[in-house]
Amino acid sequence: MVLNRSALISNIITPDDIIIRDDGFKNLDEIVDFFISKAYPLISGIITLNELKEKAKKQLSSTLTVFENGFFLFHLKLKKLDNFKAFIILTRKPTHYDKNNYDIHLSFMLLSPLSQNMFDTHLKILSNAAGIFKDSTHLLISLKTPLEVYSYIISKSK
Amino acid sequence: MNREVKKVFVLTTAMLSFISFWKAGSVVLCDFASSAYYAGGIAAKAYGSAFPYFILGVMLLSGFLLMAYIESSSLFVRGGVYVMVKNAMGKTMAKISVAMLLFDYLLTAPISAISAGLYLGYLLEVVLPHFNIHIHFPPQTIAVIFSILVILYFLRKNIKGVKESSEDNVKIIVFVGFVAVLLISFSLYTIYKNGFKLPEFRFSFTDESLGVLKYFDFIKPVGLIAILIAFGHSILALSGLETLAQVYREIEDPKIINLKKTVIFIFVFAFIFTGLLTFFSSVIIPYDKIINEYSENLLSGLAMSFAIDYKLRIILKTLVVVSAVLILVGAVNTAIVGANGILNRICEDKVLPDSLRKLHPLYGTTYRIIYVVAILQIIIVILSGGNIFLLGEAYAFGVLWSLTFNLLSLIVLRFKKNEEREWKFPFNIKVYDYEIPLGLIILFLFVFTLSFINLFTKMIATVSGIGFTIVLYFAFSYFEKKQNTIEDIHKIDENIDEEKINISTENEVLSVVKNFTKPQKILVAVKNPNNLIHLDAVLKEVDDNLVDVVVLYIKVEKGYEYAVNFERLLPEEKELFKNVISISEKYGKTVHPIMIFSNDPVYSILSLAVSGSFNRIVMGVSANIGSEVQLENIAIKWGLVRPKDFNSTIEVNIIWERRKLIYQLV
C-alpha cells in the first residue's frame, strides 16, 4: 500500500537535515538543544528561542519516546508553522539514557503545525518514522554520508 | 523490537450468553404456567363455582403486573424485589420483602412437586388395573415420595452446578402447548357435542376459606367483599412472575423490545393455558365432580370428561400427566435456583454470613445454601402430607406481599429516581410539575387490598408467613450486626453478584481469535472500571449478529507473573469485569473478555488487532495524557507493529463523554 505522500519522511527532510557525528551527547537534553540549534534559524520568524526551548523542555518532561534499539523520537507542534519539518541525528557513539538504560544512536525530531487539519498527517509521519527506523539503527550508523541515509529513507518510504 | 503476545486469558461466563424472547418467556412460563395444574382446583374448593371467572381475572391481573415488571426491569438490569425495595425504601424493608419472597420460593417447590405427584398418583390409579396391578397407592403418599425424590434430584443437580437450560424450557413449553391445543380442541368438540352452561357465579365459602372473618358477623362475604376474598384465594395462580426479573438480564438486544415480546408471549400463553383451560374445566366437568374427584388434578379431570372414546381419554390424561410432571418439576428447580440466587445476593450484602456462601470444593457452587433450601422444602413436603390444599392455603402470602412491595417500590422510585425510563407503566397524570403514576397506584391499591384481606382469610398463610418473615428478619439483623456490616461497595442502582467467571488460557492469540467468526470485529480496550463510556457506546450501536466485540484488559506486569484464577485478581480488576458484564447485560449483546499480561499495553492492543484482523479499536480517553498524546502514542506504536504486507485499515476510536476521535491505521 502506498503511504500517504504528505506523510512521507522523504518529503519533509533533505540530506542537509541529516547530521552524522562520531561523538554522542551527554543526555537527551543535549540532543534536544542540538535539534533546537538546527531548527531555530528556519522558524525564528514565528517563535523566540526561549519560547522554543520552553516548549521542548515541557515536551521532554511529559512524553518521551525512546526505543530499546537506540532510536529517540521527539516532536513538537508549533502555532504559525505552516508545514512539517524534520531533522535526523546519527551518532556512532551512543547517548546513554539512564531511565531505561538504553543507548541512543538515532534521533528524529519532527516539527509539526499546531492545527487540527494537520493532526492526521502529524500522526502518520510519527507512524512512518517509527516504522522506518524501528529496526535500522545499526544499519544507519554504518552509513557514511547524509545522502546515503536519505537514500535509505526514500527506499523505505516506497 | 519483536514483542509478540504470547499468553491470552479468556474469561467466560454464562452471563454473557443472551437468549431470545421465546426462550426467556419459556423460562418464566415453566414456573408461571405450572399453576394451571392446581390453582383451579384449590380455588374451587375454597369458594365455589365462581372460581373460573376469578382464575381468568387473575390472569388478566397478571398482564398488568407483567407491565409493572417491564418498568422495573428498565430501571435495574439485575432487578427483582430485593433490588427494587432496597433502592426505594431501604435495606430494612428490603430484608422484609425478601423474607416473604423466600417464603414463596420455599413453598413453590413443594406445591409444584406435590401437584405433579398427585397427577401421577391419580393416573396410576386408573392405569395400573389395566396391567392387573391392584395395589392401591394413595395419591397423596405417592405425591410425598415423588416430591422428596424430585427435590433430592435437583439438590444434586444444583450442587453439581448443572445450569437450567433455556432450551429445555422451550421444549417443555412446546410440549405443554401441544397438550393445551389438544385439550382446547377436545373441549370445544365436547361443548359442541354436549352443549354448555356457563358456570354459576356463586360463592360458597368454607369456614377455612373465610379464616377469621367468620367471627365477624358484620362482614358478610357478599358483593365486593366476596369478590376480593375469592380473588385472594385465586392469587396463587400468579406465582412465578418474579422469574421475569431474574431472566431479564439474559434477554438479547434490543432488550426492552424483546422484554415486551416476552411479556406478551407469557400473558397470551398463560391466559389461554391457565385461564381458558380452567374455564373449560368448569364448563365441562360438573362442579360436584370437580370438588369430589378432580380438585387435585383438574386438567386430568378435563381430559377424562371429554365426549370421546375412553381409550382416547386415557391417552389424553397420560399426556396431561406427562406435561404436568415436566412443567411442575421444572418449577421445583426454578424455586431452588431462585432461592439460591436471593440468598446469595443477601449474603453478598452482608445480611447473612458469608460462610453460608462457601463454595463446594469440587463444583464451585454455593452448596450450603442449596442444602438449606432443599431441606426446608423437604420438611414442608413431609409436614403437608401431600395435602395440596394446605399448601395452597399457605402459598399466597409470599406471592402477594412480594408483589405489593414491588409495586410500592416502583411508585416510590417514580419520585426518587425520576430519570427517563425506557418504558413506563401507563396512565400517568401530570399535576403541575409532578407526574402522578395513577395506573401504578390503582394497581398497588388493588394488590394491597388483596394482600390485606388474605391476612384474615388465609390463616395458615398469615401465621406461617408472618412467623417465617419475623424469624428470618431477626436472623438477618443478627448476622448483619455480627458481621459489622460495611457500606455496600456496589453502585446504588446495581447489585452485581460475584458469579462464577472462568479463566482459561490460550498459548497463542490466534487460537483465541479463531473463535470470532462474525464479519466484523471490534477490539475494546478497558482499564478503569469507572470509565467504560466507550464500551457502552459500542454496545449501544453494534449489531450483535454481525460484529464480534472483544473486550481487552491488559494487566501491566513487569515480571509476567500470571494470575491463574479470578480470585487472585485485584478488587478493581474484578470490579472492571463485573462492570463489563453489567454493560453487556444492559444491551443484551455478547462480549468476549480477554486478558493479556504486557508491559506495553498500546503495543499489545495493536498487535492483537493485527493478528486478529480487527476492523476497529475502541478506547476510552486517558485521564493522564489526554486524547491527542494518546493518539500520538498509538501512531508511533503502529509504526512498530504494522506488518510490511499490511493491506487493510483499522479504525481507532477514542471515545469519552460526548466526544469521539477517529484515526485510521493504514
Side-chain angles (χ1 to χ4, degrees):
Chain A
M1 189 174 198
V2 175
L3 295 168
N4 184 342
R5 292 214 67 82
S6 62
L8 290 179
I9 305 295
S10 53
N11 283 354
I12 60 169
I13 204 165
T14 67
D16 290 337
D17 303 319
I18 301 170
I19 300 104
I20 301 177
R21 283 163 56 118
D22 285 325
D23 293 330
F25 296 88
K26 272 198 198 138
N27 47 43
L28 289 184
D29 288 329
E30 276 202 8
I31 296 177
V32 172
D33 282 340
F34 187 83
F35 268 138
I36 287 172
S37 68
K38 288 289 168 192
Y40 185 68
L42 302 170
I43 55 172
S44 57
I46 60 165
I47 193 170
T48 66
L49 186 59
N50 281 339
E51 279 170 355
L52 185 60
K53 283 183 178 177
E54 268 307 308
K55 267 191 107 62
K57 198 174 161 185
K58 206 174 166 185
Q59 181 73 355
L60 261 182
S61 62
S62 61
T63 56
L64 214 54
T65 313
V66 180
F67 300 98
E68 60 184 333
N69 70 337
F71 171 47
F72 168 45
L73 195 155
F74 182 74
H75 54 94
L76 280 176
K77 293 195 283 294
L78 303 172
K79 277 189 215 175
K80 295 181 191 172
L81 188 65
D82 51 17
N83 219 332
F84 296 90
K85 189 67 192 160
F87 298 91
I88 291 172
I89 304 170
L90 273 166
T91 60
R92 302 203 205 286
K93 283 192 185 147
T95 305
H96 191 70
Y97 180 51
D98 290 328
K99 193 177 172 187
N100 288 354
N101 212 25
Y102 293 158
D103 284 332
I104 299 167
H105 287 278
L106 169 66
S107 305
F108 178 88
M109 173 167 158
L110 172 68
L111 295 172
S112 302
L114 179 62
S115 156
Q116 213 48 46
N117 295 340
M118 307 276 218
F119 187 63
D120 209 67
T121 308
H122 166 74
L123 294 176
K124 284 188 168 51
I125 294 173
L126 289 175
S127 191
N128 291 343
I132 290 171
F133 299 121
K134 67 179 177 185
D135 293 322
S136 51
T137 313
H138 292 292
L139 171 69
L140 286 170
I141 56 175
S142 70
L143 297 177
K144 298 275 190 301
T145 66
L147 195 57
E148 284 176 19
V149 174
Y150 184 71
S151 303
Y152 173 83
I153 291 168
I154 291 176
S155 67
K156 282 290 182 181
S157 298
K158 284 184 182 150
Chain B
M1 273 170 267
N2 198 8
R3 284 166 277 177
E4 288 172 35
V5 178
K6 286 287 185 201
K7 210 160 181 120
V8 182
F9 292 86
V10 182
L11 284 83
T12 57
T13 164
M15 290 173 282
L16 292 176
S17 53
F18 299 101
I19 56 177
S20 64
F21 77 91
W22 284 110
K23 284 186 182 173
S26 301
V27 171
V28 178
L29 281 168
C30 274
D31 192 354
F32 181 43
S34 64
S35 55
Y37 291 88
Y38 54 79
I42 291 172
K45 264 219 153 161
Y47 59 85
S49 58
F51 76 92
Y53 300 104
F54 287 92
I55 298 293
L56 269 173
V58 165
M59 288 299 108
L60 272 174
L61 176 65
S62 76
F64 293 106
L65 292 167
L66 285 165
M67 284 159 67
Y69 269 105
I70 296 177
E71 182 172 337
S72 65
S73 297
S74 74
L75 283 170
F76 308 107
V77 175
R78 293 188 174 208
V81 163
Y82 182 66
V83 171
M84 285 289 293
V85 177
K86 187 178 163 187
N87 281 278
M89 298 186 278
K91 217 168 177 181
T92 302
M93 296 305 285
K95 283 187 280 192
I96 293 171
S97 67
V98 91
M100 291 167 172
L101 186 63
L102 270 168
F103 189 68
D104 176 13
Y105 279 128
L106 287 177
L107 282 168
T108 296
I111 200 171
S112 302
I114 294 273
S115 181
L118 286 170
Y119 271 85
L120 205 54
Y122 283 111
L123 179 69
L124 288 174
E125 264 196 353
V126 168
V127 162
L128 285 181
H130 286 279
F131 296 97
N132 284 320
I133 301 169
H134 297 284
I135 309 168
H136 173 69
F137 297 107
Q140 288 78 10
T141 308
I142 292 175
V144 168
I145 296 168
F146 178 79
S147 302
I148 292 171
L149 290 172
V150 164
I151 292 172
L152 286 172
Y153 169 75
F154 283 115
L155 164 67
R156 192 159 171 270
K157 213 172 160 197
N158 280 282
I159 298 275
K160 285 174 101 174
V162 177
K163 289 270 179 239
E164 197 172 57
S165 155
S166 56
E167 271 94 14
D168 289 342
N169 292 123
V170 170
K171 286 174 194 164
I172 291 171
I173 293 300
V174 165
F175 181 74
V176 167
F178 164 68
V179 172
V181 165
L182 287 177
L183 290 175
I184 292 169
S185 307
F186 283 113
S187 295
L188 291 170
Y189 173 73
T190 304
I191 288 169
Y192 168 75
K193 225 176 159 219
N194 295 346
F196 81 98
K197 198 175 132 190
L198 280 174
E200 269 191 87
F201 194 85
R202 182 170 56 86
F203 298 111
S204 38
F205 293 103
T206 60
D207 278 347
E208 287 81 21
S209 58
L210 284 176
V212 297
L213 290 184
K214 63 180 178 276
Y215 299 116
F216 299 96
D217 289 332
F218 60 92
I219 300 175
K220 300 286 177 205
V222 293
L224 182 64
I225 306 271
I227 288 170
L228 290 170
I229 295 172
F231 238 113
H233 281 292
S234 313
I235 222 73
L236 77 176
L238 276 185
S239 173
L241 288 181
E242 173 73 7
T243 314
L244 184 66
Q246 307 305 322
V247 92
Y248 175 64
R249 68 184 192 192
E250 294 181 50
I251 292 179
E252 66 184 9
D253 169 71
K255 275 188 116 61
I256 289 290
I257 293 173
N258 278 324
L259 180 62
K260 288 178 194 168
K261 288 180 188 173
T262 306
V263 157
I264 293 170
F265 172 47
I266 293 168
F267 174 71
V268 169
F269 190 100
F271 188 86
I272 293 171
F273 187 65
T274 306
L276 205 59
L277 281 180
T278 304
F279 199 87
F280 281 146
S281 303
S282 68
V283 165
I284 291 169
I285 312 171
Y287 176 69
D288 292 336
K289 224 176 175 183
I290 292 177
I291 296 298
N292 297 323
E293 273 184 63
Y294 295 126
S295 58
E296 291 168 317
N297 57 339
L298 188 66
L299 295 187
S300 282
L302 177 63
M304 292 305 289
S305 305
F306 288 143
I308 51 177
D309 184 64
Y310 178 75
K311 282 186 183 147
L312 197 51
R313 278 185 268 153
I314 294 290
I315 293 169
L316 262 176
K317 179 173 175 145
T318 308
L319 285 173
V320 166
V321 171
V322 170
S323 70
V325 168
L326 284 173
I327 199 172
L328 286 162
V329 157
V332 171
N333 190 39
T334 305
I336 294 175
V337 169
N340 184 28
I342 291 274
L343 284 168
N344 260 285
R345 204 156 290 184
I346 58 181
C347 282
E348 241 191 38
D349 237 16
K350 310 288 183 203
V351 175
L352 281 177
D354 214 41
S355 55
L356 206 58
R357 280 201 315 159
K358 187 170 188 260
L359 296 183
H360 194 281
L362 191 60
Y363 302 115
T365 51
T366 49
Y367 69 104
R368 288 181 178 180
I369 291 178
I370 296 166
Y371 266 117
V372 166
V373 169
I375 287 168
L376 283 172
Q377 287 170 341
I378 288 172
I379 290 172
I380 293 170
V381 164
I382 294 169
L383 287 175
S384 75
N387 185 339
I388 198 164
F389 304 106
L390 194 68
L391 290 168
E393 269 287 305
Y395 198 22
F397 181 87
V399 174
L400 267 178
W401 283 103
S402 57
L403 282 171
T404 305
F405 275 103
N406 208 28
L407 287 168
L408 182 60
S409 302
L410 211 46
I411 293 167
V412 169
L413 286 170
R414 279 289 188 96
F415 299 99
K416 215 173 162 182
K417 201 175 157 145
N418 60 358
E419 66 213 32
E420 267 304 303
R421 283 149 170 71
E422 285 191 75
W423 196 85
K424 261 190 204 171
F425 193 90
F427 198 25
N428 303 292
I429 293 179
K430 215 148 171 85
V431 175
Y432 298 113
D433 288 335
Y434 296 101
E435 190 181 65
I436 311 293
L438 202 56
L440 272 176
I441 291 172
I442 293 170
L443 185 62
F444 162 72
L445 287 173
F446 182 67
V447 173
F448 175 72
T449 308
L450 293 179
S451 307
F452 185 73
I453 285 182
N454 262 27
L455 287 176
F456 302 99
T457 59
K458 288 189 157 229
M459 292 317 296
I460 298 173
T462 302
V463 170
S464 55
I466 291 178
F468 183 84
T469 304
I470 290 171
V471 165
L472 218 57
Y473 175 76
F474 281 114
F476 290 161
S477 303
Y478 170 74
F479 285 114
E480 195 178 5
K481 224 175 183 175
K482 203 179 171 199
Q483 290 183 104
N484 294 319
T485 311
I486 58 171
E487 272 300 304
D488 187 354
I489 62 165
H490 301 300
K491 280 188 274 184
I492 193 67
D493 58 346
E494 296 274 51
N495 218 340
I496 298 164
D497 296 338
E498 259 204 44
E499 295 194 38
K500 203 167 172 218
I501 293 181
N502 301 309
I503 296 183
S504 60
T505 61
E506 299 285 348
N507 279 323
E508 292 287 339
V509 161
L510 289 174
S511 60
V512 170
V513 161
K514 74 174 190 277
N515 297 318
F516 310 137
T517 53
K518 293 178 187 168
Q520 291 175 48
K521 291 190 259 289
I522 298 179
L523 185 64
V524 182
V526 297
K527 186 177 156 192
N528 181 346
N530 299 315
N531 181 12
L532 293 172
I533 294 172
H534 56 299
L535 176 62
D536 193 285
V538 166
L539 291 181
K540 194 171 181 180
E541 288 170 4
V542 81
D543 182 342
D544 207 29
N545 295 316
L546 297 175
V547 185
D548 277 313
V549 176
V550 176
V551 176
L552 174 65
Y553 169 62
I554 297 186
K555 194 169 165 77
V556 179
E557 289 278 350
K558 286 191 180 132
Y560 291 95
E561 188 184 318
Y562 299 127
V564 294
N565 61 53
F566 190 65
E567 302 304 317
R568 286 179 60 189
L569 293 178
L570 299 170
E572 52 268 28
E573 289 167 344
K574 287 190 201 178
E575 187 73 18
L576 173 65
F577 288 117
K578 283 180 206 171
N579 290 355
V580 165
I581 290 163
S582 176
I583 295 173
S584 169
E585 287 178 352
K586 178 179 161 188
Y587 292 106
K589 293 179 185 173
T590 305
V591 298
H592 307 280
I594 63 176
M595 183 171 71
I596 291 171
F597 285 77
S598 169
N599 60 2
D600 193 338
V602 174
Y603 186 96
S604 298
I605 290 167
L606 294 171
S607 190
L608 180 60
V610 168
S611 322
S613 305
F614 283 85
N615 309 96
R616 198 165 22 134
I617 298 169
V618 179
M619 300 177 174
V621 73
S622 166
N624 297 334
I625 58 176
S627 58
E628 283 200 0
V629 176
Q630 199 175 345
L631 273 179
E632 284 170 347
N633 287 343
I634 291 168
I636 292 167
K637 292 294 162 72
W638 176 241
L640 303 178
V641 166
R642 184 184 179 282
K644 285 194 178 95
D645 56 353
F646 186 76
N647 201 18
S648 182
T649 309
I650 301 175
E651 184 181 288
V652 174
N653 296 163
I654 296 181
I655 298 175
W656 66 109
E657 199 81 41
R658 287 187 296 272
R659 279 209 70 186
K660 183 177 174 180
L661 276 183
I662 301 175
Y663 177 62
Q664 304 286 345
L665 300 174
V666 296

